[in-house]
Amino acid sequence: MSLESVMRFLGLRDRESEVRLRAINLRREGLRALTDDELRNAEHALHGKKDLVETFALAAVIAERVLGLRMFDVQLQGALALARGHIAEMQTGEGKTLAAVPAVIWFALHGRGAHVLTANDYLARRDASWMAGIYEWFGLSVGHISQEMTSEQRRAAWRCDVTYSTANEAGFDYLRDGMARITDDLVHRPFAFAVIDEADSILIDEARIPLVIAAGVPDDPTLAYRVDALVRTLHRHADYKLDEFSRNVLLTDAGIRRVEAALGCGNIFDERNFRLLTAVQDALHAHALLKANVDYIVKNGSIELVDEFKGRIAQNRRWPAGLQSAIEAKERLGLKQQGRIFGSITVQALTGLYEHVCGMTGTAATQAEEFWKVYKLPVTVIPTNRPVIRRDLKDIVYADKAARNRAVVEEIGRVHQTGRPVLVGTASVDESERLSRQLQRAGIPHVVLNAKNDEVEAEIVAQAGALGAVTISTNMAGRGTDILLGGSPPDDRDKVVALGGLYVIGTTRHEARRIDNQLRGRAGRQGDPGTSRFFISLEDELLVKFGIATNPDIESVQRTAESQALETRQLLWKYESAIEYHRRDIYAMRRRVLSSPDWSVRSLLAEEQYESLANSVDAHELERAGRRLTLHVIDDLWADYLANISELRGGIHWVQWGGRDPLYEFLNGVSEIHADFEVWLKAEIAEAFASADIREGAIHFQNEERFERGATWTYLTTDAPFGMLHERILKALKRAMRR
């Protein structure tokens, strides 16, 4: 079904929703007259009926009893959109947290668990606690997940009828389950329903970020530091060429000769030098493309990545192993333990495990095509409860950044003199600090919110609407926050309203319109007054990248950028689809070995070997040892598979494909890597049993200590740290096979 057909279909469904909304409101007016005991009886009568109108009406009335909040019609419309499997676009301040509850109850009453995936641990804990009273009226248990929880606590939370968690924690627990050696270690049950808060962030911005579980021993730091010292001596233009917008850096002929001479390695493109070549390229990228206070910050002796969409620290995230080490060597820090990867999954693949997915966010309409093409999720735009009276002024365009920055400072000073609060959005930590220095020279008091001081985010945001406040922020203040006019407490609300409300200034336009809309949306919530305006320069990255020199049509440029980003993400998914298919296949095999009573090690052994073993030990011991061995071998082979895929992915950048389709070559390589999995599995199982020692009725394998993984750790990484895979393939080193 095309997107256009879907939209026509949704017109019919929207009329159906209007009918249901009227029925819900009629029913809830009747329920409001009931006593608490009578309301509980009505709730008990609901069980087993699966009546959506009755469920929503009860949820609305109970929310009013428990929280003292009467649900607006627009909140019920949002809940209906979720129940239909849509993405509901609801503006900031419209009460999305409460709007989700009727739909979550509807899903949870099916008895298989409903997950609400939030932006961070704080929101998971807050929302679960805040809404718990409503769920308890329905006899539903509610839990939340946070990073510091034990396995037992996680298992209990995932067994609840309703569980609030980040998508990352859900994914990490899935990966941990994928390494469980006994069924008691499993924490998840089969995935059924997911309601995704901040859906554009989770399903678009963060969808391609791999979640990783690893174990092993620390890596040798010698190579990273040795190559770092060499790369510091190389010069741009003479030794390497830089293409900032395709995020690529290439050695020149002279640079290649210098590297080969310094390392004494001969032809660095020989297969035996692959590790050296990769280390050199990682170090070049670290020095030439990744910038402190833009891409990352150094905090408490560690590298902290900065989320490009949110401007805050990307918690628990690293670059791929070699690049992470290169950055740490560049900043002269100790190298983080990398270890061996035993499992990996993206959020996009994780959401594919759920039977039913829906979501909500303040900015979805501009990405409606992507939500449909990638996830088959239609977008429903929910009207605001009160009219939006915010004034969105036309952009002002300057020839260069210096002129733009002077104008921004002047505008801030002009507005600040009136006492009206100002929120200024910047693109990076570096930009926020540069603007702060200019404001200091101009004598304008202000506060700065960026990844370096994110621990005081709540305090700063709480006062961003206060009389006379000037707040400079990265995109941190652009999501998950409500700025109250008059500050906290809003003692000066009337004065700020009279001045026109919050004035939002953007200092650049982003490639995605929704990022700009998030910033605009900080002003004008729930019918409040407000103003937004963007000050841009022809030197801004968006305009330079697309070759715009004069009179830019910004939204047209952004639509082009969004279209290209969608094509890129779709292409990347084609690269990853085979890997995801293999992961599901291997995990299903592993789960059968772990917990299926019908599985037998006989399936992996020659009949003669199995019969010989069966004559030496009893059947229970043979199967116990067989399961334990098989789980170990599967894990080892899967880790090898992931390592080989990583090497294949990296190798594509260095090898010319002779005019052949790189996607075909990649997928063919993935298939070849996977093809021998079961062959190796059977061979290693047979060899281990053949060399095992059988004594006192028990099977003892050689070097059994290798079965123990020891400590594991989880983190996030990225599969495209310097731009998208197909761009880098097309710009692959022409010298890669030159000799």
Side-chain angles (χ1 to χ4, degrees):
M1 185 183 292
S2 67
L3 182 60
E4 293 75 14
S5 300
V6 170
M7 299 312 292
R8 288 195 296 272
F9 170 70
L10 292 185
L12 300 174
R13 296 299 298 270
D14 284 341
R15 288 193 289 274
E16 178 185 324
S17 290
E18 291 173 6
V19 172
R20 282 186 164 174
L21 179 60
R22 287 195 295 269
I24 290 167
N25 279 326
L26 182 63
R27 179 57 178 151
R28 78 162 161 172
E29 287 308 308
L31 291 170
R32 290 182 74 196
L34 300 182
T35 66
D36 283 1
D37 287 340
E38 290 171 333
L39 200 58
R40 286 191 177 90
N41 290 334
E43 183 276 318
H44 292 325
L46 173 67
H47 287 264
K49 288 187 176 180
K50 298 295 186 294
D51 187 323
L52 186 141
V53 170
E54 184 76 1
T55 300
F56 276 41
L58 274 167
V61 173
I62 292 170
E64 194 168 357
R65 297 275 173 98
V66 172
L67 302 178
L69 299 174
R70 178 173 173 81
M71 292 189 71
F72 305 133
D73 281 0
V74 294
Q75 290 175 303
L76 291 171
Q77 285 178 285
L80 285 169
L82 296 177
R84 286 156 50 185
H86 292 196
I87 301 293
E89 179 180 277
M90 298 181 67
Q91 297 301 310
T92 298
E94 293 296 303
K96 290 191 288 293
T97 301
L98 179 56
V101 170
V104 175
I105 292 171
W106 169 249
F107 297 140
L109 287 174
H110 287 73
R112 293 184 291 138
H115 297 172
V116 183
L117 303 182
T118 65
N120 55 55
D121 283 359
Y122 164 75
L123 290 177
R125 181 171 57 253
R126 184 203 71 178
D127 294 353
S129 175
W130 188 12
M131 300 295 135
I134 306 174
Y135 295 124
E136 289 165 2
W137 266 78
F138 284 84
L140 299 171
S141 57
V142 59
H144 76 277
I145 300 290
S146 57
Q147 288 186 32
E148 71 278 3
M149 282 184 168
T150 65
S151 295
E152 291 74 17
Q153 291 171 321
R154 289 171 178 272
R155 187 178 304 108
W158 290 122
R159 293 299 192 273
C160 287
D161 297 304
V162 178
T163 308
Y164 284 77
S165 169
T166 64
N168 292 346
E169 287 302 311
F172 287 142
D173 278 341
Y174 176 77
L175 293 175
R176 292 185 187 101
D177 280 359
M179 292 183 68
R181 294 296 175 84
I182 57 175
T183 55
D184 287 348
D185 288 342
L186 300 173
V187 301
H188 271 304
R189 52 177 163 168
F191 292 174
F193 302 97
V195 177
I196 302 177
D197 192 10
E198 302 295 359
D200 61 326
S201 174
I202 292 174
L203 295 181
I204 295 177
D205 297 340
E206 300 173 6
R208 297 292 316 144
I209 299 174
L211 285 63
V212 172
I213 187 168
V217 296
D219 299 314
D220 179 7
T222 306
L223 178 61
Y225 284 114
R226 179 187 174 199
V227 169
D228 179 76
L230 166 61
V231 166
R232 289 176 187 273
T233 69
L234 302 182
H235 300 284
R236 186 176 177 180
H237 304 304
D239 298 316
Y240 64 88
K241 294 180 180 179
L242 185 63
D243 184 346
E244 293 190 45
F245 291 107
S246 69
R247 305 289 280 171
N248 212 355
V249 56
L250 307 175
L251 288 169
T252 63
D253 288 348
I256 292 170
R257 289 192 293 271
R258 284 196 64 186
V259 167
E260 290 174 342
L263 296 176
C265 62
N267 182 4
I268 197 169
F269 295 101
D270 280 350
E271 185 176 349
R272 61 186 173 84
N273 288 326
F274 178 79
R275 185 164 171 260
L276 275 177
L277 175 62
T278 301
V280 169
Q281 196 68 17
D282 283 338
L284 273 172
H285 278 118
H287 281 275
L289 289 176
L290 296 176
K291 300 175 182 177
N293 295 329
V294 177
D295 301 295
Y296 65 90
I297 63 172
V298 179
K299 189 173 184 179
N300 300 325
S302 296
I303 298 295
E304 301 282 4
L305 276 70
V306 177
D307 188 307
E308 64 177 307
F309 298 104
K310 300 175 184 175
R312 54 165 56 93
I313 287 175
Q315 295 291 340
N316 200 29
R317 189 180 300 177
R318 308 181 193 178
W319 278 290
L323 180 58
Q324 179 75 26
S325 297
I327 298 273
E328 289 162 348
K330 169 189 173 183
E331 299 294 341
R332 295 181 167 86
L333 302 173
L335 304 192
K336 274 191 175 181
Q337 188 174 359
Q338 301 296 343
R340 188 182 185 199
I341 294 176
F342 282 90
S344 178
I345 190 171
T346 63
V347 171
Q348 181 174 349
L350 180 71
T351 57
L353 301 176
Y354 288 91
E355 295 178 24
H356 182 104
V357 175
C358 58
M360 52 189 179
T361 180
T363 46
T366 59
Q367 306 297 138
E369 181 181 12
E370 180 157 1
F371 279 122
W372 176 251
K373 285 187 174 181
V374 176
Y375 297 100
K376 294 297 182 285
L377 292 173
V379 170
T380 295
V381 178
I382 307 299
T384 55
N385 185 51
R386 296 176 182 173
V388 176
I389 61 173
R390 182 187 66 240
R391 295 190 306 145
D392 295 327
L393 304 179
K394 289 185 178 180
D395 297 352
I396 302 180
V397 184
Y398 296 87
D400 54 54
K401 289 183 178 181
R404 186 268 315 281
N405 293 343
R406 288 194 298 270
V408 167
V409 172
E410 290 173 4
E411 181 74 348
I412 294 171
R414 181 188 68 79
V415 176
H416 177 62
Q417 287 181 349
T418 71
R420 187 179 184 185
V422 180
L423 172 67
V424 186
T426 62
S428 68
V429 174
D430 195 46
E431 290 289 340
S432 68
E433 294 182 339
R434 183 178 294 113
L435 178 58
S436 175
R437 290 191 293 271
Q438 291 181 282
L439 291 178
Q440 288 173 352
R441 289 194 290 270
I444 300 173
H446 62 281
V447 293
V448 177
L449 175 61
N450 61 35
K452 288 186 176 179
N453 64 341
D454 57 355
E455 63 275 1
V456 295
E457 176 180 0
E459 178 183 339
I460 292 176
V461 170
Q463 301 303 328
L467 192 67
V470 176
T471 307
I472 311 302
S473 178
T474 57
N475 289 333
M476 290 176 65
R479 190 185 290 277
T481 57
D482 285 345
I483 296 175
L484 300 178
L485 298 187
S488 179
D491 296 331
D492 295 318
R493 174 177 167 77
D494 291 344
K495 294 179 182 178
V496 172
V497 168
L499 289 168
L502 183 67
Y503 184 21
V504 171
I505 294 176
T507 59
T508 190
R509 287 290 205 122
H510 298 82
E511 290 194 13
R513 287 169 290 169
R514 61 193 169 80
I515 306 296
D516 295 341
N517 292 338
Q518 288 162 12
L519 180 60
R520 289 191 195 276
R522 307 283 56 83
R525 64 180 294 278
Q526 279 292 321
D528 285 343
T531 303
S532 74
R533 169 165 261 167
F534 283 84
F535 290 69
I536 62 177
S537 132
L538 294 177
E539 292 179 343
D540 286 348
E541 182 173 332
L542 174 67
L543 303 184
V544 173
K545 183 174 181 178
F546 286 89
I548 306 299
T550 57
N551 300 321
D553 179 354
I554 299 295
E555 290 213 353
S556 176
V557 174
Q558 288 175 310
R559 282 191 290 270
T560 300
E562 289 166 354
S563 178
Q564 290 183 4
L566 171 57
E567 291 176 4
T568 296
R569 285 191 282 265
Q570 286 181 302
L571 178 60
L572 279 172
W573 181 245
K574 291 179 181 178
Y575 277 86
E576 296 298 317
S577 58
I579 300 171
E580 172 60 13
Y581 176 81
H582 293 160
R583 186 195 57 73
R584 292 194 185 191
D585 181 51
I586 298 304
Y587 272 41
M589 175 196 298
R590 195 185 190 283
R591 184 58 65 92
R592 287 193 299 273
V593 175
L594 180 67
S595 57
S596 173
D598 297 327
W599 184 86
S600 171
V601 73
R602 180 193 291 267
S603 62
L604 298 175
L605 293 173
E607 188 64 24
E608 180 180 348
Q609 186 178 21
Y610 181 83
E611 291 297 337
S612 175
L613 290 166
N615 290 331
S616 303
V617 295
D618 67 48
H620 175 76
E621 166 62 12
L622 177 55
E623 293 301 330
R624 184 201 65 80
R627 286 181 193 266
R628 183 164 178 258
L629 172 66
T630 303
L631 291 173
H632 163 73
V633 175
I634 288 175
D635 291 348
D636 260 8
L637 291 176
W638 182 243
D640 289 344
Y641 171 95
L642 293 174
N644 289 333
I645 292 297
S646 178
E647 185 171 332
L648 174 65
R649 184 185 285 116
I652 282 178
H653 308 318
W654 318 118
V655 179
Q656 286 181 318
W657 293 107
R660 292 185 291 178
D661 179 6
L663 175 60
Y664 170 83
E665 296 294 340
F666 181 82
L667 295 181
N668 190 54
V670 170
S671 296
E672 290 178 357
I673 291 170
H674 178 259
D676 292 335
F677 191 98
E678 192 162 341
V679 174
W680 279 107
L681 176 63
K682 289 183 176 181
E684 293 199 18
I685 296 294
E687 182 180 345
F689 271 115
S691 61
D693 181 19
I694 300 176
R695 59 181 184 275
E696 298 180 357
I699 299 175
H700 301 273
F701 297 106
Q702 291 187 358
N703 303 318
E704 284 205 36
E705 65 276 3
R706 73 189 189 281
F707 287 17
E708 304 304 323
R709 294 289 175 221
T712 63
W713 58 92
T714 57
Y715 60 91
L716 294 89
T717 183
T718 173
D719 60 353
F722 309 114
M724 298 308 178
L725 184 61
H726 77 291
E727 293 175 347
R728 301 188 72 207
I729 292 170
L730 295 175
K731 293 178 177 290
L733 283 175
K734 295 180 180 179
R735 295 281 177 182
M737 299 292 289
R738 80 193 201 286
R739 287 181 278 178

